[in-house]
Amino acid sequence: MEAEPMNTTSRKSTVVKGAVAGIAALAMLLTGGVAANAAESSAFGNAVKPDITGLLSQYYDWWTPKKVVNNTPEGDAFRGNVTDAGTSVLDQNDKTVVTINNKAASDTTKVDGKYTQAERAALDASDGDALRIYKDAFGPVIGQYVADGLAQGKLPKTNDLVFNNDSDIAFAKFVGTGSAKKDFNYPRPYFSVDKEGVDRTLGGSNNLNGLASTLNIKRIPLITIDGQEYGEDYTDYQEPSQSFPSGHTTKTYNRGIGLATLLPELGPELAARAAEGGNNRVVLGVHYPMDVIGGRISATASLTALWSDPTFRTNELLPAHDELENYIASRCAADGYGDTVAKCVDKLGANDDKGYVNTFTDAVSTEPVTDRESAIDAYTARMTYGFKQVSAAGQAPVVPDGAENLLLTAFPTLTDDQRKAVLAASEIDSGYPLDASSEGFQRINLAKAFSAKVTLDESGKTITAISFGNSAPTVVKTPSSKDAITNLLTDFNKYFVAGVGVTDEGKSVLEHDDELTESINNKAFGTDGKTEQDQRALSDAQMNSTNTLYDALGPVLGKYYKDAADAGKLPQTEAYLEKMDESASTSVAKATYQHPRPYVDRVNFNGTTLNMNGTKQTLNIKKVPGYENFDWGDGEPLDNEYDGLYNSGSFPSGHTTYAFTQGVGLANILPELGTEIMTRVSEAGNNRIVLGVHYPLDIMGGHIAGQSGVAAALNDPDTQKQAADARTELVNYLTAQCKADKHGDTLEDCITNTGANANKGYTNEFTDDVSKAPVTDRASALTAYTARMTYGFEQTGKAGQAPVVPDDAVNLLSNVAAFRNLTVDQKKAVIAASEIDSGYPLDASSEGWGRVNLAAVYSSKVTLDKAGKVVKVEPGQAQASVVTVSDNTNHGGNGGNTNGGNTNGGNTNNGGQNQQNNNQNNNQNNGGDNQANKPNTTPKKLANTGANVSGIVIALAALAVAGGAAVMLRKRNA
């Protein structure tokens, strides 16, 4: 029977004796390096045993047990009635045990290369041999180190806690489930008239309220290894031992999670192996999934009590941790695997695909365990076993008091509150069975928590980011000196303060941000989240720049480009674009600004309580099904990216930054189609909003980060050469294909003949509140791009300021043939003339990058006067060009307004007619005739451009900006 922890029972035919714990050793405490004397503690110190029945009392909602007075089959054992509320819950309990048991019973696959799943379950039933159960969770090398250490008596403290069944301080002896089993008194799933003489009705004593009296449980036969029998002999009816909660599972989780606290570098693997051990009770058909969930809750509460007792922690737990870590580190160093456990684990792959693995799957754990990520997925799946939520979902996290101590060894430098925040961030949703009574233990995902990377602010007091699935538990601090991208985006602090919330100044800005996010996401979702735009957003989310960018070149040139890139025929182009990706990272900026994603609880975020200042707590985001089961295209198991991004800050968008590094990089070496390329990456950024994982401001931040990073990278002579080589390779390849298919003898001819810069190039029909018209040609592409530069935000700073052109921006014009002979000052003047107006969000800190309109620059006709001054810039042309005219030529234009590129703030453009209201003037440009009000009769000077271009006159045809919002995805694992 499973009533209390024990060394042997009639059902356990083998027990391995613990290694002799006779070697004296000093363990240095994490808190101060003080030697602890284990002999000073008695048993479990002052640890208070948890009330298991109380933690699991929600079970009474589904089953009303008969009080056990005579615990025999003939007396009161196994008797009670299923409640009306319990019929659906316990029916799923029944169906799941039958499904898992039946599949395993018939599966002859050797899931670990040696045993079938049923045979592993039989071996786990003989749970006295904890080493055999957990050895493979360490991976083959470290597992053997542990086995050697135990056999040689070099791990006495670890042995006493985990492996020695005679030890008074064994984890598995602290809490038993015998009392709780009697309290709940639930019959086992395998009871049948043929074998026990009774089914689950106990001869009619139980009202199962419609549930089957007998389940189709396949009894797994005993297996014999080296003359020893292992397995389950199904005698619980005669003994008797009730089903809920599972005692085997409680012991298995006690040992597995206990080991994880002693060796947190392999915490996810050890926890996942414990989850398999619990699941094996279902495989054998002796327990239901709910019994296993109850056992995990019981064990987690038990270990929390032990780690929360100062005496037991000081005298037993911390010394065992030091002993195990030091022993493994010494063995690893001797064998050349590194001088720390973390280095060794990494080098051996014990936290990846060379550690705990198996191939079995079932209705709950649907993917094999092949690495850390899939191990965490398996553990997480077994936290709920696919049950539906029976109480309110979406509740605020609940971390049980003391549970933070389970992470003491993983995160010794964090405070208790910070460790609680890690546990809160790791939690599954509320409302699953047993959650209501579990005091939070049902939700804590320890496999996930042991893989956390915690980012703190500069002071170390505030958590700014938590990510999971990392190779080791890690704490990092934000560097004191912010990086270039972070500095370019400091305007965001006007609207939102990390760890605090929405500012008064930022409320209206972020309300617009929210509204656009909802409208773009909801419209794109359609009725089922499977629209063409959603599918395109999913493709862009894979961060495969070839797949994102190729159609920017139009169907003909785009196919040439994609086929060549996929076939590896453009190696220099590929290397160059990879280099561009390295030019901008958002990790520091995300950690600095730490703004919650649109779909999360924005008040309770990463262990802090934010003041949203009247904005919504959670937005109405429709989650795209394909992103809940996302295929990265790399052959790995599907991910739920919404879960993966939950604790990651949204600003700025890493996916958008990546898209712009790739897009700006490609436009730099193929400026002939720069307008289309830039518009396509602006769509990729907008697709982050389509998926509901980013806001428009995130996209604008990624836009600034990506283009500024590429421009800065091109200051390096080696990178310049790499870009030149990539352009030569790409242009030569495309030209050769064009010649072969008779589209022209030059790239320019091919572009013209295929319409790639007109109405047969990059197109799409997606519209929203920002990009209000489909992209059908170059002019509409330019309109869409310009609209997404401001997303319809109102200007928060002063409009009409002099242009600001970053010095590095001219690097992005180096391959525009028409501009090759322009001076640096002339190029700056072209960029200045194409800028949008000043004052939009993020402009003030962006050093001009928030205004630079590359899509306009790459399609501009530039007019110089006889002295070489830029006097007119006309975006939207089929090709970039430069012409020179005499001084007395009427250049048309708008009276010298150097912000003629601004199409927001009341500017409209219809067929060449431009009305501009930013400075309360009505400049009308109609076929070259100009009427200017007095405020703009004197031309503006270009500040900070290094150019004297006081005579610039700008004509920006077909540039209309519509209000709106967009969101972009962040980089995987970033």
Side-chain angles (χ1 to χ4, degrees):
M1 60 187 292
E2 288 189 285
E4 296 290 343
M6 63 200 74
N7 292 337
T8 61
T9 73
S10 60
R11 291 180 287 112
K12 300 170 187 60
S13 51
T14 184
V15 173
V16 174
K17 293 289 184 180
V20 178
I23 299 179
L26 294 177
M28 304 307 291
L29 299 183
L30 291 177
T31 52
V34 180
N37 186 345
E40 293 177 356
S41 69
S42 58
F44 296 105
N46 298 310
V48 178
K49 292 185 179 182
D51 175 10
I52 301 302
T53 298
L55 289 172
L56 306 180
S57 60
Q58 191 179 15
Y59 198 80
Y60 290 133
D61 292 348
W62 312 311
W63 167 256
T64 303
K66 182 177 181 181
K67 181 177 176 59
V68 174
V69 177
N70 177 9
N71 192 33
T72 66
E74 299 74 29
D76 307 311
F78 310 119
R79 287 167 172 80
N81 300 306
V82 175
T83 68
D84 290 341
T87 53
S88 62
V89 177
L90 298 183
D91 180 58
Q92 185 173 355
N93 213 25
D94 290 350
K95 290 176 178 175
T96 305
V97 64
V98 171
T99 300
I100 291 176
N101 162 261
N102 287 189
K103 181 179 184 298
S106 62
D107 192 349
T108 59
T109 304
K110 304 295 184 182
V111 299
D112 57 3
K114 193 172 184 180
Y115 299 112
T116 67
Q117 185 182 9
E119 288 169 340
R120 279 176 73 95
L123 287 166
D124 280 3
S126 305
D127 66 349
D129 186 357
L131 175 60
R132 185 201 49 73
I133 294 173
Y134 286 102
K135 184 178 178 182
D136 68 335
F138 296 101
V141 176
I142 296 177
Q144 189 57 50
Y145 290 163
V146 174
D148 292 345
L150 293 171
Q152 297 164 16
K154 294 181 178 180
L155 295 172
K157 299 179 185 301
T158 306
N159 185 47
D160 279 349
L161 288 171
V162 182
F163 301 102
N164 181 2
N165 297 308
D166 297 326
S167 169
D168 291 335
I169 60 169
F171 287 136
K173 281 190 175 180
F174 179 55
V175 169
T177 56
S179 176
K181 282 176 176 290
K182 291 180 182 178
D183 289 339
F184 295 109
N185 204 21
Y186 199 70
R188 298 270 180 166
Y190 63 84
F191 287 178
S192 70
V193 173
D194 289 346
K195 300 289 175 54
E196 280 71 38
V198 293
D199 55 28
R200 297 192 306 165
T201 66
L202 274 295
S205 298
N206 297 342
N207 176 9
L208 298 183
N209 209 352
L211 300 185
S213 59
T214 304
L215 301 181
N216 181 28
I217 296 296
K218 309 293 185 186
R219 303 194 184 201
I220 307 297
L222 297 172
I223 65 171
T224 302
I225 300 174
D226 296 331
Q228 294 288 340
E229 286 188 326
Y230 296 85
E232 186 68 63
D233 65 2
Y234 301 90
T235 60
D236 292 297
Y237 177 69
Q238 286 81 15
E239 293 191 21
S241 176
Q242 288 85 346
S243 185
F244 181 82
S246 166
H248 268 75
T249 299
T250 302
K251 286 188 285 184
T252 299
Y253 272 99
N254 258 322
R255 290 166 172 156
I257 296 174
L259 270 171
T261 63
L262 302 183
L263 196 72
E265 293 87 348
L266 288 174
E269 289 71 27
L270 290 160
R273 182 60 181 91
E276 183 200 342
N279 190 67
N280 280 340
R281 306 304 291 158
V282 183
V283 167
L284 293 172
V286 295
H287 277 291
Y288 308 87
M290 198 76 73
D291 305 347
V292 174
I293 295 173
R296 173 178 52 79
I297 292 170
S298 301
T300 310
S302 168
L303 288 162
T304 294
L306 291 175
W307 272 100
S308 297
D309 177 59
T311 300
F312 194 73
R313 183 171 68 233
T314 299
N315 290 343
E316 308 297 348
L317 296 171
L318 292 176
H321 162 266
D322 290 348
E323 172 191 81
L324 185 59
E325 289 265 337
N326 292 337
Y327 174 77
I328 293 174
S330 67
R331 291 291 304 270
C332 288
D335 290 343
Y337 297 127
D339 57 0
T340 67
V341 172
K343 291 177 183 177
C344 184
V345 164
D346 274 343
K347 190 159 188 176
L348 291 170
N351 53 3
D352 194 19
D353 60 350
K354 301 293 191 303
Y356 168 61
V357 296
N358 60 62
T359 62
F360 68 80
T361 60
D362 54 42
V364 175
S365 184
T366 57
E367 297 291 340
V369 174
T370 57
D371 54 16
R372 170 159 287 189
E373 184 178 3
S374 54
I376 294 172
D377 288 345
Y379 183 94
T380 306
R382 294 177 187 134
M383 291 182 69
T384 65
Y385 272 91
F387 283 99
K388 294 179 180 179
Q389 285 154 292
V390 295
S391 56
Q395 299 302 295
V398 175
V399 178
D401 288 340
E404 68 275 7
N405 294 316
L406 296 172
L407 301 183
L408 272 171
T409 55
F411 303 103
T413 62
L414 295 184
T415 65
D416 286 348
D417 286 343
Q418 289 169 338
R419 283 188 285 268
K420 282 185 177 180
V422 174
L423 290 174
S426 79
E427 286 190 2
I428 61 172
D429 196 11
S430 60
Y432 288 100
L434 304 180
D435 175 42
S437 58
S438 75
E439 299 177 3
F441 283 113
Q442 159 60 349
R443 302 188 206 171
I444 292 174
N445 189 335
L446 287 172
K448 195 173 178 180
F450 281 118
S451 71
K453 177 182 178 181
V454 183
T455 304
L456 304 175
D457 67 3
E458 188 176 319
S459 70
K461 295 179 180 178
T462 302
I463 292 177
T464 59
I466 303 174
S467 66
F468 297 101
N470 299 285
S471 60
T474 309
V475 176
V476 296
K477 283 188 181 180
T478 300
S480 57
S481 58
K482 296 181 175 66
D483 67 349
I485 288 174
T486 305
N487 287 331
L488 288 174
L489 303 178
T490 55
D491 256 16
F492 193 75
N493 285 327
K494 297 177 182 177
Y495 320 128
F496 182 87
V497 177
V500 179
V502 178
T503 67
D504 290 339
E505 180 182 353
K507 182 176 179 181
S508 62
V509 175
L510 296 186
E511 283 179 337
H512 179 75
D513 215 23
D514 291 351
E515 289 166 2
L516 277 178
T517 302
E518 290 180 326
S519 68
I520 291 174
N521 164 261
N522 289 187
K523 181 178 186 296
F525 187 87
T527 58
D528 59 4
K530 298 179 181 178
T531 65
E532 183 181 350
Q533 189 172 10
D534 282 325
Q535 301 314 301
R536 197 161 165 101
L538 291 171
S539 176
D540 286 350
Q542 289 182 329
M543 302 180 76
N544 180 323
S545 67
T546 300
N547 290 345
T548 292
L549 293 174
Y550 80 93
D551 72 334
L553 311 188
V556 176
L557 286 163
K559 186 175 188 306
Y560 294 159
Y561 176 72
K562 178 169 172 53
D563 288 349
D566 289 347
K569 295 180 179 179
L570 298 172
Q572 293 182 92
T573 303
E574 180 182 1
Y576 160 73
L577 290 177
E578 288 179 356
K579 181 70 173 179
M580 294 303 96
D581 181 32
E582 297 171 5
S583 68
S585 170
T586 59
S587 57
V588 174
K590 281 180 176 290
T592 300
Y593 298 112
Q594 201 47 219
H595 186 251
R597 303 237 175 205
Y599 61 92
V600 310
D601 178 350
R602 303 193 301 179
V603 170
N604 302 291
F605 181 65
N606 277 354
T608 61
T609 301
L610 299 174
N611 175 15
M612 296 309 294
N613 206 359
T615 62
K616 293 181 179 180
Q617 182 166 350
T618 303
L619 300 190
N620 177 28
I621 295 300
K622 296 182 183 297
K623 294 182 177 180
V624 176
Y627 213 47
E628 291 182 299
N629 296 280
F630 183 60
D631 183 358
W632 276 95
D634 54 7
E636 295 297 317
L638 302 182
D639 288 335
N640 186 329
E641 285 297 298
Y642 292 104
D643 285 352
L645 299 175
Y646 198 91
N647 300 296
S648 166
S650 76
F651 181 85
S653 165
H655 269 70
T656 302
T657 301
Y658 170 79
F660 271 88
T661 64
Q662 299 297 284
V664 174
L666 183 61
N668 174 58
I669 63 171
L670 198 66
E672 294 86 350
L673 292 174
T675 300
E676 288 73 24
I677 293 168
M678 295 308 301
T679 306
R680 179 62 182 91
V681 293
S682 79
E683 182 203 337
N686 193 68
N687 278 340
R688 303 306 286 163
I689 305 171
V690 166
L691 293 174
V693 294
H694 277 292
Y695 312 82
L697 279 177
D698 304 346
I699 308 315
M700 292 164 65
H703 181 156
I704 290 168
Q707 63 184 7
S708 64
V710 171
L714 289 169
N715 283 322
D716 175 56
D718 290 339
T719 305
Q720 292 170 11
K721 184 180 185 308
Q722 191 176 28
D725 292 343
R727 174 169 170 79
T728 298
E729 174 189 73
L730 180 59
V731 170
N732 287 347
Y733 181 86
L734 294 176
T735 302
Q737 297 302 306
C738 288
K739 284 183 179 181
D741 291 341
K742 302 188 184 319
H743 293 306
D745 292 338
T746 67
L747 180 61
E748 291 76 9
D749 289 344
C750 188
I751 288 172
T752 300
N753 293 336
T754 61
N757 57 355
N759 62 355
K760 292 190 173 69
Y762 165 62
T763 63
N764 68 61
E765 297 183 355
F766 310 136
T767 61
D768 52 44
D769 288 343
V770 177
S771 182
K772 297 183 178 181
V775 173
T776 57
D777 54 16
R778 175 162 280 191
S780 54
L782 184 52
T783 298
Y785 181 86
T786 309
R788 294 182 188 129
M789 290 183 68
T790 66
Y791 274 94
F793 283 97
E794 294 183 358
Q795 285 155 294
T796 56
K798 191 173 182 180
Q801 298 300 293
V804 176
V805 178
D807 289 339
D808 296 343
V810 296
N811 294 338
L812 303 176
L813 277 58
S814 59
N815 290 308
V816 181
F819 299 165
R820 190 162 294 149
N821 294 323
L822 295 182
T823 66
V824 169
D825 285 349
Q826 288 170 327
K827 290 177 181 177
K828 283 188 173 182
V830 173
I831 295 170
S834 307
E835 284 188 2
I836 64 169
D837 196 13
S838 61
Y840 289 99
L842 306 181
D843 172 44
S845 60
S846 76
E847 299 178 5
W849 283 113
R851 304 186 205 172
V852 173
N853 188 335
L854 289 175
V857 173
Y858 284 133
S859 61
S860 286
K861 176 183 177 181
V862 178
T863 301
L864 306 177
D865 68 12
K866 195 171 183 179
K869 292 181 180 179
V870 177
V871 293
K872 185 160 63 172
V873 176
E874 300 169 275
Q877 310 298 315
Q879 291 93 23
S881 61
V882 176
V883 298
T884 302
V885 296
S886 60
D887 288 338
N888 59 0
T889 301
N890 181 359
H891 307 306
N894 62 358
N897 180 1
T898 60
N899 282 329
N902 172 36
T903 57
N904 295 284
N907 292 351
T908 62
N909 186 313
N910 294 304
Q913 293 181 335
N914 183 50
Q915 290 185 329
Q916 189 166 357
N917 300 321
N918 286 338
N919 296 308
Q920 291 75 49
N921 65 305
N922 292 308
N923 295 338
Q924 294 182 344
N925 181 345
N926 206 357
D929 296 328
N930 180 58
Q931 293 180 341
N933 283 351
K934 289 182 180 179
N936 276 337
T937 54
T938 302
K940 292 182 182 179
K941 291 185 178 181
L942 294 181
N944 298 325
T945 65
N948 180 9
V949 287
S950 58
I952 288 181
V953 181
I954 301 155
L956 291 172
L959 280 179
V961 174
V967 172
M968 311 288 284
L969 268 182
R970 73 179 177 81
K971 232 172 179 179
R972 192 180 193 186
N973 297 328

